[in-house]
Amino acid sequence: MTRIALLGFGSVGQGIARAILEKGLGITVTGLADSRSGVIDASGIDLSAALDRKERGEPCGNLDISSMDVVEEAEYDILVEVTPTDVETAEPALGHIRGALQRGRHVVTSNKGPIALDYPGLQALAEECGVFLRYEATVCGAIPLIRAMQEGLAGNTITRICGVFNGTCNYILTRMAAEGLTYEQALAEARDLGYAEADPTYDVEGIDAAIKLVILADTVLGMRVTLDDVERTGITLLSPEALQLAEDQDCTIRLIGEIVPGAGVLQVSPRIVAKTHPLVVEGTLNAVTVETDLAGDLTFIGKGAGSTETASAVIGDILYIQSRHVQSS
Ligand code: HSE
């Protein structure tokens, strides 16, 4: 049985808990924390009861147990860090991740802040401590994009990556064009459905997409870049009239992120795209075209946001570590 400590019990954390309850997967949760409380139980936490408490608007555990107590005191093999992203400091996730690595525990995270801010430092610490640091869920939700690029496309030179990286913006643009919703109505829906970041300005100002470009550039393409290197425009100023104008020409508007390593291009901006273009996907779908020298062009499409979909990527990383662990023991 793989023991995990789960930090963050919002949309993603609850999705992970529900998947474990339904499917087992050889995973038991021995530590759990939300922003207000925590639980530590080496014999396995009752996830149904914790989900019920959240449903009633209560904390998931005891107010006198903090997330850092869970990191330092619980018995676990893998820390699963799915708290909300903070792009300025990456805290509290950075402290959680460093604490777990220093204890010799593997880490799986969906939290973009620590990976965008200090991937080289965290990866070096993981290697020093002989453990894995996995972060597939940080980019494009359910699409196993990082693993596809690092493993499936190993040996290729990636010449360009271009796509839709933010499910919330895509949802908003789709709902505005298809249903004539205002920007505010569509954003409120995306928040209610658990797609948006805790701070939704990250989504609509293109910050979330830009962070994902930084993570790909830094961890897959070997570029040393930060958020400041990304030229960025969001969708906050897009009007229904602009969408209608695009519509009149059989086009639509999508928030597109692009990396061209050879030319130093890192860019996020709304673009007018023909409706037949492969990157024009609906709702919370993400679509990413990866251009390579050996494999040619590949386009990946899948849900980029959502509780279950993001949980899928986290669970894939947990099971990756579980399989290595079992093989080596
Ligand atoms: N808020 C993000 C999005 C979640 O909408 O794409 C997944 O990173």
Side-chain angles (χ1 to χ4, degrees), residues 112 137-138 165-169 195-197 203 208 212 286 304-305 310:
K112 293 164 271 239
T138 58
F165 289 91
N166 184 268
T168 298
C169 287
Y195 305 141
E197 295 297 296
D203 295 290
D208 177 79
K212 290 166 179 164
N286 284 183
T310 311

